[in-house]
Amino acid sequence: MNYALKNGRILSGRKDMVPVTGKAVLVDGTKITALCNENDIPSGYEVIDLNGQYVMPGLINMHVHLAGNGGNGKPQKQRDNTKLVNRIFSNPVSSAAAKYLVSEYAKTELMSGVTTIRTVGGLRDLDTELRDQINAGKKMGPRILAANEGISVHNGHMAGSVAIAASSVDEALAQVEHCREMKTDLIKLMITGGVMDAVEKGTPGQMKMPEEMIRAVCDKAHEYGFYAAAHVESSEGVKAALRNGVDSIEHGAQPDDEIIALFKEKKAFLTTTLSPALPYALFDREVSGATEVQQYNGNIVFEGIRNMAKAAVENDIPVCLGNDVGCPWITQYDFWRELVYFCKYVDVSPRFALYTATCRAAELAGIGDVTGTLEPGKDADLIVTKDNPLDHLETLRNVQLVMARGSLIRHPKVRRKAAIDAQLDPYCSIK
């Protein structure tokens, strides 16, 4: 289909974006072909009158796990993740159910205004399978940059669930080879533990992966043309990751001069994820279900991520945003909250947050020539909001229209979880 979106206020996604009026966005098939004067729309286009609403690039969520959709965070019994996943995929019914849920969660991302996701740990090879189905037009969903299963170690972060547990460098490299066979878009490492892995106060983000394994995986990934992203939640872990070739730090930790210097030397970037730590740090424990130790460690991680993001912005270290969806309290439809948190807790402007989640994210993901801005030649990935997000980012909560590679979704809807909204909404005002 060819569409002409007129009578809108256009936000380009660029760092200096301002609303532009009097122009129509022309979409031919999958591409934006022109921004023409509204009085010069050629024939052959279905005209969509935006009635003064705001049109901008689709959002890019750079840290997604498609295996979950955010429960209420209540503690669960310890379980054998490897055994559970093996059981799921040994049964054709439960295997089909897992594929269906992953597909539906990806669709939810799209309906919420996210037109590109980067998955950083998933069940088996479901993420690349779904990516290929979406690209072939067999499924509805956002563009997916997929890592499939991450690489962890025994008793390491997410080992056995969305990451394999490597007991040696050779086993870790075998997973890189498998990723190459599955044609993943990146490699994910789980270098440290997290909030829920720590058993004592003050010990979140403990080193789990030996440096020789980090180096070997990164070297092999780069040899094959992948970049390497790493879960890291301690300063020690950030340094080990950057020293040994990691390209993107996922989450972050308390910065210091050495960390800043390493980021610049290695030309690495930061994926800020305030969403998953916030409930454990700021919620009452009766609500979060966290133990005293988990809340204490949640505060450490939250402040580390926050301060790392601030230091990155201040030192011109590239930053993108992800909400670590799949963690407790974090849903597939709530990426907009991460932009609000970025403004509220890192002290950036709504304009910078929107730029970070569109143009900048596309550049850092290596697809800046394809998406991220509303410009001729780019894929037609765009969303429409009622109000100006440069004034009120909260308007991203309810997008009015979504287009992904030219495929139009009018009046997109998501099924929200009232209990989660009730707890998170008080933290989502930046006025």
Side-chain angles (χ1 to χ4, degrees):
M1 293 290 294
N2 295 340
Y3 298 102
L5 284 69
K6 75 168 191 176
N7 195 20
R9 303 172 190 273
I10 299 171
L11 296 171
S12 69
R14 295 288 180 186
K15 194 173 184 178
D16 59 352
M17 72 182 104
V18 295
V20 173
T21 58
K23 297 287 186 180
V25 181
L26 299 187
V27 174
D28 289 27
T30 64
K31 298 286 186 180
I32 298 171
T33 54
L35 301 180
C36 72
N37 291 328
E38 290 182 336
N39 295 327
D40 297 329
I41 297 173
S43 61
Y45 288 82
E46 178 183 339
V47 177
I48 299 173
D49 191 335
L50 298 181
N51 295 308
Q53 297 181 108
Y54 291 79
V55 56
M56 68 208 75
L59 303 179
I60 300 175
N61 189 346
M62 290 282 278
H63 194 110
V64 170
H65 301 283
L66 282 176
N69 190 33
N72 63 8
K74 299 300 182 183
Q76 297 179 343
K77 293 180 180 179
Q78 286 294 108
R79 63 189 183 189
D80 185 330
N81 290 328
T82 302
K83 185 177 180 180
L84 176 61
V85 171
N86 286 340
R87 185 185 303 125
I88 289 172
F89 288 97
S90 67
N91 182 303
V93 175
S94 55
S95 178
K99 292 182 180 182
Y100 174 77
L101 284 176
V102 164
S103 174
E104 288 298 298
Y105 290 157
K107 188 187 297 183
T108 298
E109 287 275 347
L110 181 61
M111 293 295 178
S112 73
V114 176
T115 55
T116 298
I117 62 173
R118 185 178 68 147
T119 67
V120 284
L123 295 175
R124 299 285 174 90
D125 302 327
L126 295 193
D127 292 354
T128 49
E129 181 180 321
L130 178 60
R131 175 200 65 190
D132 295 344
Q133 290 172 332
I134 292 171
N135 289 345
K138 298 177 180 179
K139 294 277 189 178
M140 177 187 292
R143 176 186 294 99
I144 296 178
L145 305 176
N148 284 347
E149 293 173 297
I151 301 172
S152 188
V153 296
H154 286 285
N155 298 316
H157 190 66
M158 306 306 290
S161 58
V162 296
I164 64 109
S167 58
S168 66
V169 169
D170 285 345
E171 287 187 7
L173 293 179
Q175 178 62 15
V176 178
E177 294 290 345
H178 180 66
C179 288
R180 187 189 189 194
E181 292 171 3
M182 294 298 103
K183 298 181 180 179
T184 65
D185 300 287
L186 67 151
I187 303 295
K188 173 69 182 298
L189 301 90
M190 308 291 188
I191 289 177
T192 75
V195 172
M196 305 303 287
D197 303 324
V199 297
E200 297 178 354
K201 284 186 176 182
T203 61
Q206 286 181 311
M207 282 293 297
K208 299 287 186 178
M209 183 173 286
E211 292 202 34
E212 59 267 25
M213 186 179 288
I214 302 171
R215 169 58 65 181
V217 168
C218 290
D219 284 350
K220 184 58 70 174
H222 295 156
E223 178 185 335
Y224 289 156
F226 297 120
Y227 72 84
H231 165 100
V232 190
E233 291 187 355
S234 68
S235 300
E236 177 189 10
V238 172
K239 293 173 185 178
L242 294 175
R243 279 197 302 265
N244 290 287
V246 165
D247 301 292
S248 74
I249 298 296
E250 309 295 305
H251 313 303
Q254 196 66 35
D256 59 23
D257 291 344
E258 182 181 357
I259 286 175
I260 299 302
L262 279 168
F263 262 107
K264 292 186 174 183
E265 176 190 344
K266 303 297 184 179
K267 295 181 172 57
F269 67 89
L270 175 70
T271 304
T272 293
T273 59
L274 292 161
S275 294
L278 184 146
Y280 290 108
L282 304 184
F283 281 13
D284 187 286
R285 286 197 291 115
E286 290 186 4
V287 174
S288 69
T291 65
E292 183 182 357
V293 170
Q294 290 166 348
Q295 186 179 58
Y296 184 90
N297 289 333
N299 268 293
I300 292 174
V301 170
F302 181 74
E303 289 301 322
I305 293 172
R306 175 186 187 179
N307 291 335
M308 180 73 257
K310 283 187 173 183
V313 171
E314 291 169 359
N315 287 276
D316 294 323
I317 293 167
V319 179
C320 60
L321 301 178
N323 67 341
D324 206 0
V325 60
C327 288
W329 303 99
I330 315 305
T331 68
Q332 299 286 353
Y333 54 76
D334 261 350
F335 180 55
W336 69 275
R337 295 188 191 276
E338 189 67 31
L339 280 70
V340 173
Y341 298 153
F342 194 44
C343 290
K344 184 173 183 177
Y345 297 108
V346 184
D347 300 323
V348 302
S349 68
R351 178 180 283 102
F352 188 81
L354 191 61
Y355 155 74
T356 302
T358 54
C359 177
R360 195 53 165 147
E363 292 170 346
L364 295 176
I367 53 173
D369 59 335
V370 174
T371 191
T373 58
L374 291 192
E375 295 176 313
K378 298 287 183 76
D379 279 359
D381 298 333
L382 57 86
I383 59 176
V384 172
T385 62
K386 181 179 179 181
D387 299 317
N388 185 355
L390 304 186
D391 295 328
H392 306 290
L393 280 172
E394 298 93 322
T395 192
L396 295 169
R397 179 183 192 136
N398 297 299
V399 295
Q400 307 299 304
L401 178 152
V402 175
M403 184 178 286
R405 286 178 274 191
S407 180
L408 178 64
I409 303 167
R410 305 175 192 266
H411 313 297
K413 300 291 183 184
V414 298
R415 181 178 295 179
R416 304 191 66 87
K417 298 182 178 183
I420 289 178
D421 286 350
Q423 296 301 327
L424 292 176
D425 284 354
Y427 299 93
C428 286
S429 173
I430 55 175
K431 296 178 182 178

